[in-house]
């Protein structure tokens, strides 16, 4: 059974603070190992990548087999059942349609002095997407990372995906093909991140690296940040459900378990003003845990990090949720739109009883790469903006420079930056002379 | 004299690559010291901050004097000359007007099945702005960081600014007041960053930290990233000027020097198809360097990192500029709009002869916090988006769930995530029963 909290009890604040501050993840210190791997790849390129892949993935590669060939991809993809292909294609279509609406517009305007101001957006030239191998090799994540990049207009999009022992998930290759990925490299770990950031003879460097990974991948992304852009350092997954007690407890139980089954360090929280409903959901979770395939993962997650919090009312529930700033928030209440208006911090909101979070993981359209570990307080899920950058524009006319230049000169002098002031003054003097 | 390169010579690619790869900055490894400081502030709060401030800034503080009082602020601000106040106010007004146009719109739409999709933007609740003390204590940076936060709707905005020996720049306090900053703390270094990220008894924690700083501040920001959001790790400043030879060489010389005077590790590059103009600009720089107040900084920067590159034509100049991805780009050419269309990577573009970069530093309106060290390939200058985050929204109807739910179920099964699939299946079964 998970923790039960009640906002009317004296120890609530202490217990809620403990819940917020709970350390759910061991972060092994792999930084020194990762630093060595990156230095090795920078120094020896392909040779280092190939050696490290042989060591960690038990896979012998040559420069010419680092990437999957077209024939290999076709052979793997042919194994995918039609129903799975159709589902992936529908998901891709819906994700693309959602993200196309995110494309921001360029702006420019002219001031009365004739000065033009504005900005324009341009895509990152090349992006690399990290796809984990093994169990966490999710084709849905390929779509969620690759489609926003393609919508943004990224010219060259590559995937790195380790294939320990040579085993690959055909659905990952199919998802990459559907999303328009140019090349898939069968490498992973810190060596793949280093190759993407610095390039090798075979692998051209990219400008941005996104996608989830283990501690080595996370440490490598943190290290190459600055040389290239990265998305975020993902933590274990979370769901928070606010329920008013009108729904089926079993539905909520399954929603809570759909986070818990990801990872023993995932966190599932139910907040409800209906204590009886809270107990009913907890009982439904226990019942489902008896048979769930991944009960060995979901069980510990629910017992160690799960919580049921009983509040005075729904507004108090919303206020608590804002303090959690959950990655996923379900509003299983009669009027989800009204409650949604009270939410200030959440990665994604799923409104109403017919929107299980799993819809958002696969097929709703919004991105499933979302801010974890309370970072929805200050960051957003993946979007086309992650693959675009904004260049600001300014064009002064002589009249505009005469109007605002003197103030720039005053500020430059106040900051003791003489050349800044002179660069304005030289032009103003020439303009004044021209008039004299 | 700086380097002279010519794209028609055989060694050009080698020399240009060396210019791109030039290491301009020593990064002292202060990470261990910073880790200790952060741990100390987390453990002992105000007491640690006060001790570290006494040690590094030679300033004795108590918890109640960590922040400037209203009376202290008023007394400092009274010292500011009227012309400087007026210039700051004009700058603030223009920066505010520019950034107000950046506010993104919420979107939501309804699909034929009745499903609602969309997203909405909300501000970060609290932000902290780091303002360096001493020479680099720029009031313009206070405006450039604080105004986007206020426009975004940040509720609580605080400044930390070290005041070694108790000396403060009155213009910094005035800029903070004009921009609407709530509190200014007279602390700096890694201890200030730690206090902002984790909070102390006196200093409430914030969600996002922005602003430039020395190696200790940069290392601290990198360390607290994840616990809070940060803007970027700023490197030394850069300018690249593309000139067609139609302008006054002295204007360009001053523009190049206005970066060089910031920092010995700043970089100023001129690209022009007119070799004679290139030489004339270099001569004008030398002449200005004879008398420039900050020649001891600007001189080494120009000699060590400056470059004049002669190209075949302006398109080649634009292509080289895109490889540099400069922080600041001036287009001092007859048709700057046409050339601007060829630019794919730059932090900010200043178009035409009457737009010296210094206008952008102070008063143009666009932000002067821009991506350095070639990071304009993948990132943007500071904007209101840095103080906002996007929450995605999805609301399925029974009809919508029936339309797309089965595909989510297929994908969940293919990823062996049973509870994900069951959370959809339970609802679909209930809906089908209801109809049966």
């Amino acid at each position: 059974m998970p923790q039960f909290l009640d906002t009317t009890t004296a120890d609530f604040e202490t217990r809620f603070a403990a819940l917020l501050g709970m350390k759910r993840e061991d972060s092994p210190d792999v930084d020194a190992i990762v630093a060595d791997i990156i230095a090795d790849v920078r120094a020896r390129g392909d040779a280092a990548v190939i050696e490290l892949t042989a060591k960690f993935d038990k896979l012998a590669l040559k420069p010419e087999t680092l990437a999957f060939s077209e024939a290999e991809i076709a052979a793997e993809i042919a194994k995918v059942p039609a129903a799975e292909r159709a589902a992936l294609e529908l998901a891709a279509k819906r994700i693309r349609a959602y993200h196309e609406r995110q494309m921001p517009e360029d702006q420019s305007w002219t001031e009365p002095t004739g000065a033009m101001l504005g900005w324009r957006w341009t895509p990152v030239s090349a992006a690399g997407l990290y796809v984990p191998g093994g169990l966490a090799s999710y084709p849905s994540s390929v779509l969620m990372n690759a489609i926003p990049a393609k919508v943004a207009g990224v010219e060259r999009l590559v995937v790195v995906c380790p294939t320990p022992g040579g085993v690959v998930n055909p659905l990952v290759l199919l998802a990459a093909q559907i999303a328009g990925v140019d090349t898939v490299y069968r490498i992973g770990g810190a060596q793949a991140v280093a190759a993407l950031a610095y390039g090798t003879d075979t692998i051209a460097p990219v400008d941005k690296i996104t996608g989830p990974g283990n501690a080595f991948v996370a440490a490598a992304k943190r290290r190459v940040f600055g040389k290239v852009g990265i998305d975020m350092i993902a933590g274990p997954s979370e769901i928070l459900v606010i329920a008013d007690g009108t729904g089926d407890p079993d539905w909520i139980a399954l929603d809570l378990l759909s986070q818990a089954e990801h990872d023993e360090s995932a966190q599932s929280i139910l907040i409800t003003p209906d204590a009886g409903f809270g107990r009913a959901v907890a009982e439904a979770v226990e019942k489902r845990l008896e048979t769930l395939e991944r009960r060995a993962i979901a069980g510990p997650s629910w017992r160690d990090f799960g919580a049921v919090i009983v509040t005075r009312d729904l507004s108090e529930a919303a206020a608590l949720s804002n303090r959690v700033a959950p990655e996923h928030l379900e509003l299983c209440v009669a009027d989800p739109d009204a409650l949604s208006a009270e939410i200030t911090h959440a990665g994604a909101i799923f409104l109403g009883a017919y929107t299980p979070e799993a819809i958002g993981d696969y097929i709703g359209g919004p991105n499933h790469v979302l801010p974890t570990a309370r970072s929805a307080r200050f960051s957003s899920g993946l979007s086309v903006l992650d693959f675009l950058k904004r260049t600001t524009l300014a064009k002064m006319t002589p009249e505009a420079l005469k109007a605002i230049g003197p103030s720039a000169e005053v500020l430059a002098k106040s900051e003791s930056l003489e050349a800044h002031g002179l660069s304005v003054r030289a032009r103003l003097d020439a303009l004044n002379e021209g008039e004299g």
Side-chain angles (χ1 to χ4, degrees), chain A:
Chain A
M1 277 287 177
Q3 291 192 58
F4 282 78
L5 283 75
D6 185 320
T7 57
T8 60
T9 59
D11 63 351
F12 174 74
E13 267 304 322
T14 311
R15 293 187 62 195
F16 186 69
L19 188 71
L20 280 186
M22 219 173 221
K23 190 167 164 57
R24 290 187 279 137
E25 211 184 11
D26 276 335
S27 310
D29 190 1
V30 297
D31 205 45
I33 302 168
V34 165
D36 287 346
I37 291 175
I38 293 174
D40 194 19
V41 172
R42 287 185 70 173
R44 298 194 301 127
D46 285 335
V49 171
I50 287 168
E51 273 182 35
L52 291 160
T53 303
K55 180 176 168 188
F56 293 120
D57 296 342
K58 313 292 174 213
L59 183 66
L61 294 176
K62 294 174 289 187
E64 56 273 28
T65 58
L66 282 171
F68 282 92
S69 70
E70 278 182 41
E72 287 169 325
I73 291 172
E76 288 294 332
I77 285 178
K79 300 175 187 166
V80 176
E84 293 183 10
R85 174 187 280 272
L88 265 187
E89 281 171 351
L90 178 63
K93 188 179 145 194
R94 293 184 56 88
I95 296 164
R96 194 175 295 119
Y98 183 93
H99 287 78
E100 279 170 352
R101 289 181 180 252
Q102 290 180 331
M103 278 299 284
E105 304 225 328
D106 296 344
Q107 274 206 42
S108 71
W109 60 96
T110 303
E111 302 191 323
T113 56
M116 185 279 291
L117 294 174
W119 63 81
R120 60 190 167 78
W121 294 89
T122 46
V124 164
S125 295
L129 160 56
Y130 192 95
V131 179
L135 253 189
S137 181
Y138 296 138
S140 57
S141 290
V142 176
L143 299 182
M144 291 291 180
N145 280 270
I147 291 174
K150 290 300 283 188
V151 170
V154 171
E155 267 173 55
R156 186 168 59 85
L157 180 59
V158 305
V159 160
V160 291
C161 179
T163 60
V167 178
V168 63
N169 181 348
L171 279 167
V172 162
L173 293 177
L174 177 58
Q177 187 184 70
I178 290 172
V181 169
D182 297 299
T183 313
V184 180
Y185 296 102
R186 49 188 131 209
I187 59 174
Q191 58 274 21
V193 174
L196 289 176
Y198 291 98
T200 69
D201 286 344
T202 306
I203 301 167
V206 301
D207 302 300
K208 178 114 188 183
I209 301 175
T210 69
N214 63 17
F216 290 87
V217 172
K221 280 171 70 181
R222 206 180 263 273
R223 279 210 162 247
V224 301
F225 171 52
K227 167 69 182 170
V228 298
I230 63 170
D231 51 344
M232 57 181 91
I233 308 291
S237 204
E238 306 134 13
I239 189 170
L240 192 151
V241 179
I242 301 181
D244 58 8
T246 56
D248 183 335
D250 185 51
W251 296 5
I252 309 295
L254 288 166
D255 299 348
L256 295 169
L257 287 170
S258 72
Q259 284 310 302
E261 74 176 347
H262 268 296
D263 193 334
E264 287 185 35
S265 55
Q267 184 166 50
S268 304
I269 298 175
L270 169 66
I271 309 187
T272 178
D274 183 335
F277 186 78
R279 280 189 303 272
V281 170
E283 279 159 24
V285 169
E286 296 303 326
K287 190 155 186 332
R288 287 287 185 177
L289 276 174
E290 288 168 15
T291 56
L292 197 70
E293 286 167 16
R294 295 171 72 112
R295 58 187 175 275
I297 294 168
S301 160
W302 176 241
R303 279 193 303 274
D304 296 343
F305 304 118
V308 175
I309 304 177
V310 179
T311 56
R312 291 175 182 85
D313 53 34
L314 287 176
S315 281
E316 190 178 46
L320 290 180
S321 175
N322 288 336
R323 288 174 64 187
V324 174
E327 182 189 10
H328 305 98
L329 172 63
E330 275 188 23
L331 303 180
C332 297
V333 298
D335 187 353
D337 296 289
L339 193 56
S340 174
E342 297 183 43
I343 300 301
T344 53
H345 309 310
I349 305 180
F350 304 89
L351 294 97
Y354 294 101
T355 320
E357 183 272 328
I359 286 293
D361 280 342
Y362 292 115
I363 204 150
N367 211 287
H368 80 194
V369 181
L370 292 165
T372 57
R374 307 190 59 218
S375 63
R377 291 177 295 122
F378 54 81
S379 64
S380 312
L382 202 68
S383 78
V384 296
L385 293 182
D386 290 286
F387 299 97
L388 295 167
K389 61 266 183 338
R390 192 186 46 247
T391 299
T392 61
L393 305 171
K395 183 183 180 185
M396 296 294 122
T397 54
E399 196 192 339
L401 193 68
K402 285 196 270 184
I404 67 172
S407 292
E409 206 185 355
V410 167
L411 292 172
K413 279 187 184 152
S414 81
E415 294 186 353
S416 302
L417 293 171
E418 187 194 15
H420 285 66
L422 287 174
S423 73
V424 175
R425 174 49 47 196
R427 288 159 165 99
L428 289 175
D429 284 347
L431 288 170
N432 291 333
E433 255 174 50
E435 280 168 9

